[in-house]
Amino acid sequence: MIFASPLLAWIALSTVVVPVIIHLLLRRRRTPVAWAAMELLARAIRRSARRSKIEQILLLAARCLLILVVGAAIADPHWSNDLGSIRRTPQTILIVIDQGVASQATFQGKTLLDRSKAWIAKEMESIASDDLVGVIAMAGNQPLVWPPSGDHAAVLAVIQDLTALDLAALPRSAMEWASRENISFSSTIEGAGRETVYWLASGWTEGTLLSQEDTSVAEAREAVDRAHNTKLLGPANTSGNDVWVRRVSTTRHGPLSHEGEVDLRVQAERRSDSLERLSTNVDAKAVDRTQTKTAPLVFESAQSTATANITITIPPDQEGDIGIRVRLPQDDQPADNDSFAVCGQEGVMRVLIADRQRFRRVTMEDTPPAHWVTRALDPTNDGSMQIDLVDPSTLDTGIPSDAHTICVLQPDLVSHEGWKSLASAVRLGATVIVTPAPDGGQDEWVHRFRAVFGGECVSEPIRVAEFETPTPLNSKQPNSPLLALLSTELSDLATPVEISRALSLQGSERWIPIVTKSDDTPLVVAGHPEGSSGLVVVFGVPFDTTWSSLPTKPLIVPLLQEIIRQSAADNLEAMHYTLGGSGVKQLQRSDMHSLRLLASRIDKEQSNDRLSVDRDGKLRRPVDRAGLYEALDAGGVRVGLVAINVDPRWAINTPTTQEQTLASLCGLSATDTITNLVVVHDDGSTTQVTDTSRTPGQSHNSSTTSIATLLVMVAIAFLLLEGILARVASHAGGMLLPTRLLRWFRWRPTP
Amino acid sequence: MRAEEYLAPETLSQLAPFELRAKRIAEGFMGGMHRSPFQGPAVEFASHRQYTAGDSTRHLDWKVFARSDKLHIKEYRQETNLEIMLLVDASGSMTYGTLGVKGGWGGTDATRQRGAWTKYDHACACAAAISFLCLHQRDRVGLGIMGPDGIVAGIRRSSARDQWRSIVQLLAQQAVGGKIDIVRSVDQALSKSGGRVLFAILSDFLGPTEQLRAALSKLQHRGHDAILLGILDRQEQQFQLDVTAPFDGLEGEGRIDVDARAVRKHYLAELTTHLSAVRRITHTCGFDWQLFDSHDSVGPLLSALLARRENETKGKFG
């Protein structure tokens, strides 16, 4: 047995003399007491003498042992349990393996995950056949093998098939999960009576900001001492294609629907110094789906970029953003051959229709514009769009932030404040569709419109053109990006529409006609106001059958749908890189000016977290968020990617060294259930830690088991024994407070 | 000291309703309130009996002779005074006491030794109360102080006016210590008492019960009455000590190391056994037993004892 604190052990041993001294002090002679009934007293002493002496000795022994055990428990003794020696009890081995983003970093030609696998395979050869093995993955806290299994071959197969994820590894939460579940497992028949051993397979040391492919391991290790909490994701060698995915975008206009196929456009780059023709493939699949689509990727000679189009199937039950993994299978770079795109998926779009309710007879002429718009946007009434009808006057108070499109069908009823609110919404990315006032004058609202959006789209002077005979739409409509999907059928759809009167509009550099009349004057113009990411679409006719037949013709449905969906798609930033990229690009530390968080967009967190880097490539403040960071130069141009593997819950304040990391891992469980812990380092070495309260740098070479808990229980037993003996002996000198309390509650002297 | 200090006014007021009556027929020289076995000139008619030759004709009941033509002698009960002998234990054990005394209290030799209200002081208070009561009803009271050699000091029985003061002064001045020989003391007291006497023995009765049995048997055999007033300190009865210390015997028994809390249970058991034996011996001899706590006042227990004796006397003699 060894003590973690030998000094405390010696102190505990020396304090054993305390009760002996107290005992002797109690026996010392005191002032004599005069007594009359000596004969009775002598007889009483003769009756109690032998028993009293035995009780006193037992009491003294109990107190000595109590102090000895308490002292020993404080000194934290460990029972030596060398792995090489014969074990007394079967074990439950819980392997917590790091398959997070940083486990893909390569040293000496092998990733950290591969090293962990190799170490586990080697160690599993020596475990006993009756040992049970459970496997918990750090990234995602997913139990791979649970409850622990006795089929070691199957467990090993699971581990060997394990692939790294583009997520941050959370060793603390994984260990907590394993510890918590192990308590439940220990209460079962299979898990009872077993000693629990934790194998923490992770390269959880400090990382490096180095990303040069020619960096030696020694240099990397040197950088480890200077940069904290980071892990290199650059490739370790330059062989292979040196191709990386530059961008993943969708060709599908508008937000992704719940189901269906998505056309992806994968833009890839390669090293600029290898400009021969290169033909390779790119794979794409939705995350958690096994279906993989492959498309050819061809780099022509002297071209550093190439594009591949892939169509993947969206899972029918997918909700929220869709993760798409794009992979370059023929690329040898383990760190950059995957790209992870997040395509924003909007299940329901919200459209506000600003139109005042009017009570009219239900005829075609009197049908309100809002009705035509509603029918066009949601013809089957399936709820694919959330359409809210509001009064134009309510726009004064602001526009809901989740409204993608606002249809202003009675602009003459919108106040100046309302126009300001619309302008604010457009600046934030919303789309505003404006039609002329069907009943009122046009001058006043046009002036207000011009004031906020710049109104050169409306001809000067402002007038409504009246056509004696209804004029049709142009048989050859312009090719606008907004209606690109309708380009082949727009003319056919436009032909039946006839215009009786219309507000005169004009196109310009900013205001692009998207639908024109037969006289080539625009009927619908769209433009981005200055400083705004949103879109403003102006119609020359309201949705009123007295102005045109547009509300009753099929064109209105795809026209409004495409305008709204495509504008929303343009406004939404739906593509986010999470991993992969320009790892092969030569990256000097001096090039890095800051790091910008990218990968946490997976978790829908803010991505504006920037970490400044000094000239030595050292972070100026600790990293408190795990994920993929984009290394930016002084001009904000990306010069590389760095994966930083930090569990923000325990590395938030200070940089961590290796010893601090181990100490933190060891202290993660307050239940003291983690008895044996094996940590695998990235260089293949291991550290076995047995004590959850040890200070850093005090690792044992052999596995030991703390028996402090057992001693505490023994101490409690001795404490109770001391109380019982003290009560039986009726001794006045109850030495410890619990004894006095015990006596207080249990001792009732005869009155 | 002033003799009145031994008899507090409240004690007298508590004893006033009672009269010390001899449980048995007492013999006395003076006419008193106690029944006498001798029939003589008195006013209380007792019974008739047939005349026999030799009887004095003075007591013939002529009215009966006139009605029945038979000679009957009228017999009367003669009332006499009570002879009381107080035997007070003056051994060393009686000097034990844990009740403090007020400043200016002279006390007895035991008080001066211990600086506390001792069992001897309590015995003196009891003796003073009993003697005062008896003298008040014209009974003859004597005192014997028991010591190692029997009665070491005493006062002959008398009903003189200064008898009570003499008794109290002797009690206060008597040196206390050593052991007593109760058998020898009783022998000496019996040798000086011709008639039947009520012995009031005041002691802690912590000595051997065999000696007590022998002494009381002699009293019983001689037809005397006795009251045993056991006096113990409260600490002796409860043993509320929380020390581990040597205990010194007050009668020269030597020193014993005692863990008071450890032996308390057994001590109380021994004390109970001992007192039960004393009570049993007393009742076997037909005497009265009353245990006094030296921390309590004399009056209530003494009055209770007298009330009990009075009830027993009424039950026996109507």
Side-chain angles (χ1 to χ4, degrees), chain A residues 79 215 710 723 751:
Chain A
W79 193 262
T215 300
L710 176 64

Side-chain angles (χ1 to χ4, degrees), chain B:
Chain B
M1 65 163 275
R2 294 170 54 197
E4 291 80 4
E5 291 175 345
Y6 267 123
L7 201 57
E10 58 268 23
T11 303
L12 284 178
S13 64
Q14 290 166 343
L15 296 177
F18 304 103
E19 295 173 340
L20 185 61
R21 291 173 175 269
K23 195 165 63 175
R24 297 184 178 182
I25 299 171
E27 295 180 79
F29 293 111
M30 296 175 56
M33 62 186 298
H34 304 284
R35 301 181 190 282
S36 170
F38 306 109
Q39 290 156 354
V43 294
E44 188 177 358
F45 172 75
S47 63
H48 284 100
R49 66 172 175 83
Q50 283 191 340
Y51 174 79
T52 57
D55 288 339
S56 172
T57 57
R58 288 179 60 192
H59 300 298
L60 280 174
D61 191 341
W62 298 109
K63 292 180 180 178
V64 173
F65 178 74
R67 286 197 300 269
S68 61
D69 200 20
K70 292 182 180 176
L71 291 174
H72 282 81
I73 299 294
K74 287 200 291 185
E75 292 183 340
Y76 296 89
R77 293 189 186 280
Q78 184 183 33
E79 291 189 345
T80 182
N81 61 334
L82 185 62
E83 297 276 339
I84 296 176
M85 187 65 183
L86 301 171
L87 295 179
V88 178
D89 182 358
S91 66
S93 65
M94 293 294 284
T95 62
Y96 184 80
T98 58
L99 185 64
V101 294
K102 296 179 181 178
W105 167 254
T108 63
D109 179 61
T111 307
R112 289 186 288 275
Q113 288 183 26
R114 300 294 170 192
W117 181 260
T118 64
K119 292 188 287 184
Y120 181 76
D121 293 319
H122 208 71
C124 292
C126 290
I130 295 172
S131 59
F132 182 85
L133 180 64
C134 296
L135 290 172
H136 183 68
Q137 59 196 29
R138 300 196 305 276
D139 293 330
R140 286 156 51 88
V141 180
L143 172 65
I145 296 178
M146 296 185 288
D149 302 324
I151 303 294
V152 295
I155 297 177
R156 298 175 62 86
R157 293 189 296 278
S158 169
S159 58
R161 296 183 63 181
D162 61 345
Q163 179 70 0
W164 185 79
R165 185 171 297 276
S166 302
I167 289 173
V168 171
Q169 284 182 346
L170 180 60
L171 287 171
Q173 294 168 0
Q174 178 61 41
V176 183
K179 292 184 176 180
I180 64 166
D181 188 344
I182 191 170
V183 179
R184 192 170 180 181
S185 299
V186 169
D187 284 342
Q188 292 175 358
L190 288 176
S191 65
K192 294 177 182 178
S193 57
R196 294 182 178 177
V197 178
L198 172 61
F199 285 89
I201 306 174
L202 297 95
S203 172
D204 53 11
F205 298 105
L206 291 177
T209 53
E210 292 77 14
Q211 292 186 13
L212 180 65
R213 185 192 304 277
L216 296 185
S217 298
K218 290 183 179 182
L219 293 177
Q220 183 190 24
H221 180 70
R222 297 282 291 270
H224 296 289
D225 193 6
I227 303 172
L228 274 68
L229 295 92
I231 298 169
L232 291 177
D233 189 82
R234 182 166 296 174
Q235 186 67 274
E236 290 179 316
Q237 298 183 60
Q238 297 183 355
F239 204 68
Q240 293 286 10
L241 292 172
D242 195 13
V243 297
T244 301
F247 278 53
D248 284 340
L250 294 174
E251 296 182 1
E253 295 95 338
R255 176 171 292 186
I256 306 174
D257 288 331
V258 178
D259 181 354
R261 183 176 285 273
V263 302
R264 179 176 185 274
K265 182 179 176 182
H266 296 297
Y267 168 82
L268 293 177
E270 290 289 339
L271 178 65
T272 303
T273 304
H274 180 77
L275 293 179
S276 299
V278 172
R279 186 183 299 110
R280 188 169 57 251
I281 293 170
T282 305
H283 290 167
T284 302
C285 296
F287 301 148
D288 280 326
W289 159 259
Q290 181 62 49
L291 181 63
F292 285 82
D293 186 341
S294 64
H295 288 206
D296 295 333
S297 61
V298 174
L301 285 175
L302 195 57
S303 60
L305 172 65
L306 298 182
R308 191 168 69 241
R309 286 181 61 87
E310 189 168 8
N311 289 335
E312 291 177 358
T313 303
K314 286 181 179 176
K316 183 171 291 184
F317 298 104

Side-chain angles (χ1 to χ4, degrees), chain A residues 392-465:
Chain A
S393 62
T394 61
L395 299 178
D396 300 354
T397 57
I399 309 296
S401 59
D402 59 342
H404 295 87
T405 303
I406 304 98
C407 295
V408 183
L409 305 183
Q410 286 186 288
D412 54 329
L413 300 180
V414 178
S415 65
H416 185 63
E417 295 299 323
W419 285 109
K420 285 185 177 178
S421 299
L422 291 170
S424 176
V426 172
R427 275 196 298 272
L428 297 175
T431 299
V432 172
I433 298 175
V434 182
T435 65
D439 299 328
Q442 312 300 330
D443 294 349
E444 188 176 354
W445 75 263
V446 170
H447 289 305
R448 290 176 177 171
F449 177 84
R450 286 175 174 170
V452 296
F453 292 119
E456 66 270 22
C457 60
V458 181
S459 302
E460 188 67 29
I462 304 168
R463 67 181 184 89
V464 176

